[in-house]
Amino acid sequence: MFVLDQSQIEEYRNDKPEYYRQLTKQLEALLAEDSNWVTNLSQMSAFVYQMLPDLNWVGFYLVNPKNEQALLLGPYQGKVACVHIPFGRGVCGTAASTQETQLVEDVHAFDGHIACDGDTNSEIVMPMVVDEQLKGVFDIDSPINNRFDQDDADGLSELLDILISKTEF
Ligand code: SME
């Protein structure tokens, strides 16, 4: 797990909305160089993994071009992961089929959860919708129970909006 320095962790814990505002500015600068999707989804995964504490997996599952009812592993940071996830299965498949953010306090209590990384205890998964079309989901996992709150959901959703606006899919 990547470890932030203590002052960054304190800034994050003291004022999450302000911390995410700083991240949005940094992400805009980071993604300014190119609009290629592999490049930008890779940078986004690494950026979120580095800039938020207590994460063990951050990345994307994309709608599989060979089977549009399933997700295919995309750019990520963390341990090797499951390659295919059918729509409706696990947290990622549920986010894809409902097109709604899934904020899961305890993944072990989530029906059908797919345990790719046994370290994961809580997670947030957001649908990535571009021009009203689902492109995939953004999955962020933590070893800590109940790691994510509404401030994280709001902040991460802003970061995802920036990624979408800077990327050609
Ligand atoms: N936990 C996810 C599977 C993906 S991994 O966490 C990387 C799920 O149930 O959808």
PDB file of all heavy atoms in Angstrom, residues 113-143:
ATOM      1  N   HIS A 113     -20.376 -10.140  -3.841  1.00  0.00           N
ATOM      2  CA  HIS A 113     -19.082  -9.455  -3.901  1.00  0.00           C
ATOM      3  C   HIS A 113     -18.000 -10.404  -4.437  1.00  0.00           C
ATOM      4  O   HIS A 113     -17.910 -11.561  -4.043  1.00  0.00           O
ATOM      5  CB  HIS A 113     -18.700  -8.962  -2.500  1.00  0.00           C
ATOM      6  CG  HIS A 113     -17.256  -8.604  -2.364  1.00  0.00           C
ATOM      7  ND1 HIS A 113     -16.369  -9.299  -1.579  1.00  0.00           N
ATOM      8  CD2 HIS A 113     -16.533  -7.618  -2.958  1.00  0.00           C
ATOM      9  CE1 HIS A 113     -15.170  -8.762  -1.692  1.00  0.00           C
ATOM     10  NE2 HIS A 113     -15.240  -7.739  -2.509  1.00  0.00           N
ATOM     11  N   ILE A 114     -17.168  -9.856  -5.336  1.00  0.00           N
ATOM     12  CA  ILE A 114     -16.098 -10.658  -5.939  1.00  0.00           C
ATOM     13  C   ILE A 114     -14.795 -10.288  -5.222  1.00  0.00           C
ATOM     14  O   ILE A 114     -14.337  -9.144  -5.322  1.00  0.00           O
ATOM     15  CB  ILE A 114     -15.977 -10.349  -7.453  1.00  0.00           C
ATOM     16  CG1 ILE A 114     -17.323 -10.586  -8.138  1.00  0.00           C
ATOM     17  CG2 ILE A 114     -14.885 -11.189  -8.086  1.00  0.00           C
ATOM     18  CD1 ILE A 114     -17.441  -9.899  -9.486  1.00  0.00           C
ATOM     19  N   ALA A 115     -14.240 -11.238  -4.495  1.00  0.00           N
ATOM     20  CA  ALA A 115     -13.042 -10.941  -3.688  1.00  0.00           C
ATOM     21  C   ALA A 115     -11.777 -11.132  -4.522  1.00  0.00           C
ATOM     22  O   ALA A 115     -11.120 -12.160  -4.460  1.00  0.00           O
ATOM     23  CB  ALA A 115     -13.013 -11.818  -2.454  1.00  0.00           C
ATOM     24  N   CYS A 116     -11.447 -10.106  -5.333  1.00  0.00           N
ATOM     25  CA  CYS A 116     -10.214 -10.168  -6.136  1.00  0.00           C
ATOM     26  C   CYS A 116      -9.023 -10.020  -5.218  1.00  0.00           C
ATOM     27  O   CYS A 116      -8.062 -10.765  -5.304  1.00  0.00           O
ATOM     28  CB  CYS A 116     -10.170  -9.009  -7.133  1.00  0.00           C
ATOM     29  SG  CYS A 116     -11.309  -9.177  -8.472  1.00  0.00           S
ATOM     30  N   ASP A 117      -9.078  -9.016  -4.367  1.00  0.00           N
ATOM     31  CA  ASP A 117      -8.002  -8.765  -3.414  1.00  0.00           C
ATOM     32  C   ASP A 117      -8.584  -9.004  -2.022  1.00  0.00           C
ATOM     33  O   ASP A 117      -9.465  -8.265  -1.572  1.00  0.00           O
ATOM     34  CB  ASP A 117      -7.518  -7.312  -3.578  1.00  0.00           C
ATOM     35  CG  ASP A 117      -6.364  -6.983  -2.640  1.00  0.00           C
ATOM     36  OD1 ASP A 117      -6.132  -7.757  -1.676  1.00  0.00           O
ATOM     37  OD2 ASP A 117      -5.696  -5.968  -2.864  1.00  0.00           O
ATOM     38  N   GLY A 118      -8.082 -10.043  -1.363  1.00  0.00           N
ATOM     39  CA  GLY A 118      -8.600 -10.430  -0.044  1.00  0.00           C
ATOM     40  C   GLY A 118      -8.428  -9.343   1.005  1.00  0.00           C
ATOM     41  O   GLY A 118      -9.056  -9.390   2.063  1.00  0.00           O
ATOM     42  N   ASP A 119      -7.577  -8.327   0.728  1.00  0.00           N
ATOM     43  CA  ASP A 119      -7.367  -7.246   1.699  1.00  0.00           C
ATOM     44  C   ASP A 119      -8.548  -6.276   1.744  1.00  0.00           C
ATOM     45  O   ASP A 119      -8.703  -5.513   2.689  1.00  0.00           O
ATOM     46  CB  ASP A 119      -6.120  -6.422   1.331  1.00  0.00           C
ATOM     47  CG  ASP A 119      -4.843  -7.233   1.469  1.00  0.00           C
ATOM     48  OD1 ASP A 119      -4.866  -8.275   2.159  1.00  0.00           O
ATOM     49  OD2 ASP A 119      -3.831  -6.823   0.867  1.00  0.00           O
ATOM     50  N   THR A 120      -9.372  -6.274   0.685  1.00  0.00           N
ATOM     51  CA  THR A 120     -10.440  -5.266   0.596  1.00  0.00           C
ATOM     52  C   THR A 120     -11.544  -5.522   1.622  1.00  0.00           C
ATOM     53  O   THR A 120     -12.058  -6.630   1.728  1.00  0.00           O
ATOM     54  CB  THR A 120     -11.071  -5.290  -0.817  1.00  0.00           C
ATOM     55  OG1 THR A 120     -10.051  -4.985  -1.778  1.00  0.00           O
ATOM     56  CG2 THR A 120     -12.205  -4.282  -0.940  1.00  0.00           C
ATOM     57  N   ASN A 121     -11.903  -4.457   2.368  1.00  0.00           N
ATOM     58  CA  ASN A 121     -13.033  -4.554   3.296  1.00  0.00           C
ATOM     59  C   ASN A 121     -14.151  -3.568   2.977  1.00  0.00           C
ATOM     60  O   ASN A 121     -15.297  -3.796   3.343  1.00  0.00           O
ATOM     61  CB  ASN A 121     -12.561  -4.363   4.742  1.00  0.00           C
ATOM     62  CG  ASN A 121     -11.926  -5.638   5.268  1.00  0.00           C
ATOM     63  OD1 ASN A 121     -12.465  -6.731   5.100  1.00  0.00           O
ATOM     64  ND2 ASN A 121     -10.768  -5.518   5.879  1.00  0.00           N
ATOM     65  N   SER A 122     -13.809  -2.438   2.351  1.00  0.00           N
ATOM     66  CA  SER A 122     -14.869  -1.514   1.925  1.00  0.00           C
ATOM     67  C   SER A 122     -14.501  -0.973   0.548  1.00  0.00           C
ATOM     68  O   SER A 122     -13.332  -1.014   0.147  1.00  0.00           O
ATOM     69  CB  SER A 122     -15.052  -0.366   2.926  1.00  0.00           C
ATOM     70  OG  SER A 122     -13.886   0.413   3.014  1.00  0.00           O
ATOM     71  N   GLU A 123     -15.501  -0.478  -0.181  1.00  0.00           N
ATOM     72  CA  GLU A 123     -15.177   0.038  -1.505  1.00  0.00           C
ATOM     73  C   GLU A 123     -16.232   0.998  -2.013  1.00  0.00           C
ATOM     74  O   GLU A 123     -17.366   1.022  -1.521  1.00  0.00           O
ATOM     75  CB  GLU A 123     -14.917  -1.092  -2.496  1.00  0.00           C
ATOM     76  CG  GLU A 123     -16.067  -1.761  -3.169  1.00  0.00           C
ATOM     77  CD  GLU A 123     -15.564  -2.910  -4.091  1.00  0.00           C
ATOM     78  OE1 GLU A 123     -15.307  -2.682  -5.279  1.00  0.00           O
ATOM     79  OE2 GLU A 123     -15.475  -4.041  -3.579  1.00  0.00           O
ATOM     80  N   ILE A 124     -15.812   1.815  -2.975  1.00  0.00           N
ATOM     81  CA  ILE A 124     -16.758   2.688  -3.672  1.00  0.00           C
ATOM     82  C   ILE A 124     -16.548   2.470  -5.167  1.00  0.00           C
ATOM     83  O   ILE A 124     -15.410   2.414  -5.635  1.00  0.00           O
ATOM     84  CB  ILE A 124     -16.586   4.169  -3.245  1.00  0.00           C
ATOM     85  CG1 ILE A 124     -17.599   5.057  -3.965  1.00  0.00           C
ATOM     86  CG2 ILE A 124     -15.192   4.681  -3.444  1.00  0.00           C
ATOM     87  CD1 ILE A 124     -17.692   6.454  -3.360  1.00  0.00           C
ATOM     88  N   VAL A 125     -17.645   2.303  -5.880  1.00  0.00           N
ATOM     89  CA  VAL A 125     -17.564   2.098  -7.324  1.00  0.00           C
ATOM     90  C   VAL A 125     -18.526   3.075  -8.001  1.00  0.00           C
ATOM     91  O   VAL A 125     -19.706   3.153  -7.642  1.00  0.00           O
ATOM     92  CB  VAL A 125     -17.936   0.646  -7.715  1.00  0.00           C
ATOM     93  CG1 VAL A 125     -17.775   0.454  -9.222  1.00  0.00           C
ATOM     94  CG2 VAL A 125     -17.072  -0.365  -6.966  1.00  0.00           C
ATOM     95  N   MET A 126     -17.981   3.828  -8.951  1.00  0.00           N
ATOM     96  CA  MET A 126     -18.782   4.841  -9.650  1.00  0.00           C
ATOM     97  C   MET A 126     -18.901   4.524 -11.124  1.00  0.00           C
ATOM     98  O   MET A 126     -17.886   4.173 -11.752  1.00  0.00           O
ATOM     99  CB  MET A 126     -18.123   6.203  -9.491  1.00  0.00           C
ATOM    100  CG  MET A 126     -18.173   6.683  -8.068  1.00  0.00           C
ATOM    101  SD  MET A 126     -17.322   8.231  -7.866  1.00  0.00           S
ATOM    102  CE  MET A 126     -15.708   7.681  -8.177  1.00  0.00           C
ATOM    103  N   PRO A 127     -20.107   4.618 -11.697  1.00  0.00           N
ATOM    104  CA  PRO A 127     -20.230   4.413 -13.137  1.00  0.00           C
ATOM    105  C   PRO A 127     -19.542   5.552 -13.895  1.00  0.00           C
ATOM    106  O   PRO A 127     -19.558   6.700 -13.439  1.00  0.00           O
ATOM    107  CB  PRO A 127     -21.738   4.433 -13.379  1.00  0.00           C
ATOM    108  CG  PRO A 127     -22.312   5.167 -12.228  1.00  0.00           C
ATOM    109  CD  PRO A 127     -21.378   4.990 -11.068  1.00  0.00           C
ATOM    110  N   MET A 128     -18.939   5.215 -15.036  1.00  0.00           N
ATOM    111  CA  MET A 128     -18.308   6.242 -15.873  1.00  0.00           C
ATOM    112  C   MET A 128     -19.160   6.363 -17.137  1.00  0.00           C
ATOM    113  O   MET A 128     -19.139   5.472 -17.998  1.00  0.00           O
ATOM    114  CB  MET A 128     -16.880   5.807 -16.184  1.00  0.00           C
ATOM    115  CG  MET A 128     -16.096   6.849 -16.916  1.00  0.00           C
ATOM    116  SD  MET A 128     -14.333   6.473 -16.929  1.00  0.00           S
ATOM    117  CE  MET A 128     -14.307   4.971 -17.859  1.00  0.00           C
ATOM    118  N   VAL A 129     -19.930   7.458 -17.190  1.00  0.00           N
ATOM    119  CA  VAL A 129     -20.880   7.641 -18.287  1.00  0.00           C
ATOM    120  C   VAL A 129     -20.424   8.830 -19.130  1.00  0.00           C
ATOM    121  O   VAL A 129     -20.189   9.917 -18.605  1.00  0.00           O
ATOM    122  CB  VAL A 129     -22.309   7.878 -17.738  1.00  0.00           C
ATOM    123  CG1 VAL A 129     -23.295   8.110 -18.869  1.00  0.00           C
ATOM    124  CG2 VAL A 129     -22.752   6.702 -16.867  1.00  0.00           C
ATOM    125  N   VAL A 130     -20.262   8.589 -20.432  1.00  0.00           N
ATOM    126  CA  VAL A 130     -19.794   9.635 -21.344  1.00  0.00           C
ATOM    127  C   VAL A 130     -20.848   9.806 -22.435  1.00  0.00           C
ATOM    128  O   VAL A 130     -21.204   8.822 -23.106  1.00  0.00           O
ATOM    129  CB  VAL A 130     -18.436   9.245 -21.971  1.00  0.00           C
ATOM    130  CG1 VAL A 130     -17.934  10.341 -22.903  1.00  0.00           C
ATOM    131  CG2 VAL A 130     -17.413   8.937 -20.895  1.00  0.00           C
ATOM    132  N   ASP A 131     -21.368  11.025 -22.601  1.00  0.00           N
ATOM    133  CA  ASP A 131     -22.430  11.288 -23.576  1.00  0.00           C
ATOM    134  C   ASP A 131     -23.565  10.267 -23.430  1.00  0.00           C
ATOM    135  O   ASP A 131     -23.990   9.647 -24.420  1.00  0.00           O
ATOM    136  CB  ASP A 131     -21.880  11.250 -25.013  1.00  0.00           C
ATOM    137  CG  ASP A 131     -20.854  12.346 -25.231  1.00  0.00           C
ATOM    138  OD1 ASP A 131     -20.955  13.397 -24.559  1.00  0.00           O
ATOM    139  OD2 ASP A 131     -19.943  12.152 -26.051  1.00  0.00           O
ATOM    140  N   GLU A 132     -24.005  10.070 -22.199  1.00  0.00           N
ATOM    141  CA  GLU A 132     -25.126   9.172 -21.855  1.00  0.00           C
ATOM    142  C   GLU A 132     -24.840   7.706 -22.144  1.00  0.00           C
ATOM    143  O   GLU A 132     -25.749   6.882 -22.136  1.00  0.00           O
ATOM    144  CB  GLU A 132     -26.426   9.618 -22.548  1.00  0.00           C
ATOM    145  CG  GLU A 132     -26.875  10.984 -22.042  1.00  0.00           C
ATOM    146  CD  GLU A 132     -28.110  11.499 -22.721  1.00  0.00           C
ATOM    147  OE1 GLU A 132     -28.807  10.701 -23.368  1.00  0.00           O
ATOM    148  OE2 GLU A 132     -28.367  12.698 -22.586  1.00  0.00           O
ATOM    149  N   GLN A 133     -23.581   7.373 -22.400  1.00  0.00           N
ATOM    150  CA  GLN A 133     -23.224   5.985 -22.681  1.00  0.00           C
ATOM    151  C   GLN A 133     -22.262   5.470 -21.611  1.00  0.00           C
ATOM    152  O   GLN A 133     -21.257   6.127 -21.315  1.00  0.00           O
ATOM    153  CB  GLN A 133     -22.543   5.927 -24.054  1.00  0.00           C
ATOM    154  CG  GLN A 133     -22.829   4.661 -24.790  1.00  0.00           C
ATOM    155  CD  GLN A 133     -21.931   4.532 -26.016  1.00  0.00           C
ATOM    156  OE1 GLN A 133     -21.335   5.501 -26.490  1.00  0.00           O
ATOM    157  NE2 GLN A 133     -21.822   3.321 -26.506  1.00  0.00           N
ATOM    158  N   LEU A 134     -22.596   4.298 -21.034  1.00  0.00           N
ATOM    159  CA  LEU A 134     -21.723   3.723 -20.015  1.00  0.00           C
ATOM    160  C   LEU A 134     -20.419   3.240 -20.660  1.00  0.00           C
ATOM    161  O   LEU A 134     -20.439   2.430 -21.595  1.00  0.00           O
ATOM    162  CB  LEU A 134     -22.417   2.536 -19.333  1.00  0.00           C
ATOM    163  CG  LEU A 134     -21.603   1.901 -18.199  1.00  0.00           C
ATOM    164  CD1 LEU A 134     -21.631   2.767 -16.943  1.00  0.00           C
ATOM    165  CD2 LEU A 134     -22.102   0.497 -17.886  1.00  0.00           C
ATOM    166  N   LYS A 135     -19.296   3.733 -20.146  1.00  0.00           N
ATOM    167  CA  LYS A 135     -17.988   3.297 -20.658  1.00  0.00           C
ATOM    168  C   LYS A 135     -17.327   2.283 -19.732  1.00  0.00           C
ATOM    169  O   LYS A 135     -16.458   1.529 -20.146  1.00  0.00           O
ATOM    170  CB  LYS A 135     -17.042   4.497 -20.802  1.00  0.00           C
ATOM    171  CG  LYS A 135     -17.487   5.505 -21.830  1.00  0.00           C
ATOM    172  CD  LYS A 135     -17.334   4.940 -23.224  1.00  0.00           C
ATOM    173  CE  LYS A 135     -17.781   5.919 -24.283  1.00  0.00           C
ATOM    174  NZ  LYS A 135     -17.883   5.282 -25.600  1.00  0.00           N
ATOM    175  N   GLY A 136     -17.709   2.316 -18.444  1.00  0.00           N
ATOM    176  CA  GLY A 136     -17.095   1.417 -17.480  1.00  0.00           C
ATOM    177  C   GLY A 136     -17.367   1.911 -16.081  1.00  0.00           C
ATOM    178  O   GLY A 136     -18.280   2.716 -15.865  1.00  0.00           O
ATOM    179  N   VAL A 137     -16.574   1.424 -15.116  1.00  0.00           N
ATOM    180  CA  VAL A 137     -16.725   1.874 -13.729  1.00  0.00           C
ATOM    181  C   VAL A 137     -15.351   2.179 -13.149  1.00  0.00           C
ATOM    182  O   VAL A 137     -14.342   1.633 -13.601  1.00  0.00           O
ATOM    183  CB  VAL A 137     -17.443   0.819 -12.848  1.00  0.00           C
ATOM    184  CG1 VAL A 137     -18.837   0.503 -13.392  1.00  0.00           C
ATOM    185  CG2 VAL A 137     -16.624  -0.462 -12.684  1.00  0.00           C
ATOM    186  N   PHE A 138     -15.349   3.057 -12.150  1.00  0.00           N
ATOM    187  CA  PHE A 138     -14.127   3.417 -11.424  1.00  0.00           C
ATOM    188  C   PHE A 138     -14.254   2.808 -10.033  1.00  0.00           C
ATOM    189  O   PHE A 138     -15.209   3.106  -9.309  1.00  0.00           O
ATOM    190  CB  PHE A 138     -14.022   4.949 -11.371  1.00  0.00           C
ATOM    191  CG  PHE A 138     -12.756   5.477 -10.749  1.00  0.00           C
ATOM    192  CD1 PHE A 138     -11.525   4.862 -10.965  1.00  0.00           C
ATOM    193  CD2 PHE A 138     -12.789   6.628  -9.969  1.00  0.00           C
ATOM    194  CE1 PHE A 138     -10.360   5.368 -10.401  1.00  0.00           C
ATOM    195  CE2 PHE A 138     -11.633   7.158  -9.412  1.00  0.00           C
ATOM    196  CZ  PHE A 138     -10.417   6.518  -9.619  1.00  0.00           C
ATOM    197  N   ASP A 139     -13.321   1.943  -9.685  1.00  0.00           N
ATOM    198  CA  ASP A 139     -13.404   1.133  -8.464  1.00  0.00           C
ATOM    199  C   ASP A 139     -12.274   1.507  -7.505  1.00  0.00           C
ATOM    200  O   ASP A 139     -11.099   1.487  -7.892  1.00  0.00           O
ATOM    201  CB  ASP A 139     -13.282  -0.351  -8.884  1.00  0.00           C
ATOM    202  CG  ASP A 139     -13.351  -1.313  -7.709  1.00  0.00           C
ATOM    203  OD1 ASP A 139     -13.727  -0.901  -6.598  1.00  0.00           O
ATOM    204  OD2 ASP A 139     -13.033  -2.504  -7.916  1.00  0.00           O
ATOM    205  N   ILE A 140     -12.625   1.859  -6.260  1.00  0.00           N
ATOM    206  CA  ILE A 140     -11.623   2.225  -5.258  1.00  0.00           C
ATOM    207  C   ILE A 140     -11.864   1.370  -4.019  1.00  0.00           C
ATOM    208  O   ILE A 140     -12.956   1.390  -3.456  1.00  0.00           O
ATOM    209  CB  ILE A 140     -11.743   3.734  -4.909  1.00  0.00           C
ATOM    210  CG1 ILE A 140     -11.501   4.552  -6.179  1.00  0.00           C
ATOM    211  CG2 ILE A 140     -10.747   4.136  -3.833  1.00  0.00           C
ATOM    212  CD1 ILE A 140     -12.535   5.569  -6.414  1.00  0.00           C
ATOM    213  N   ASP A 141     -10.828   0.606  -3.614  1.00  0.00           N
ATOM    214  CA  ASP A 141     -10.967  -0.359  -2.511  1.00  0.00           C
ATOM    215  C   ASP A 141     -10.085   0.022  -1.337  1.00  0.00           C
ATOM    216  O   ASP A 141      -8.982   0.559  -1.528  1.00  0.00           O
ATOM    217  CB  ASP A 141     -10.501  -1.746  -2.962  1.00  0.00           C
ATOM    218  CG  ASP A 141     -11.382  -2.367  -4.028  1.00  0.00           C
ATOM    219  OD1 ASP A 141     -12.179  -1.646  -4.633  1.00  0.00           O
ATOM    220  OD2 ASP A 141     -11.242  -3.578  -4.253  1.00  0.00           O
ATOM    221  N   SER A 142     -10.551  -0.326  -0.134  1.00  0.00           N
ATOM    222  CA  SER A 142      -9.775  -0.064   1.085  1.00  0.00           C
ATOM    223  C   SER A 142      -9.756  -1.291   1.987  1.00  0.00           C
ATOM    224  O   SER A 142     -10.751  -2.014   2.072  1.00  0.00           O
ATOM    225  CB  SER A 142     -10.405   1.109   1.837  1.00  0.00           C
ATOM    226  OG  SER A 142      -9.786   1.263   3.089  1.00  0.00           O
ATOM    227  N   PRO A 143      -8.650  -1.468   2.712  1.00  0.00           N
ATOM    228  CA  PRO A 143      -8.628  -2.543   3.708  1.00  0.00           C
ATOM    229  C   PRO A 143      -9.380  -2.167   4.985  1.00  0.00           C
ATOM    230  O   PRO A 143      -9.593  -3.015   5.853  1.00  0.00           O
ATOM    231  CB  PRO A 143      -7.126  -2.725   3.997  1.00  0.00           C
ATOM    232  CG  PRO A 143      -6.503  -1.425   3.629  1.00  0.00           C
ATOM    233  CD  PRO A 143      -7.355  -0.792   2.567  1.00  0.00           C
TER     234      PRO A 143
END
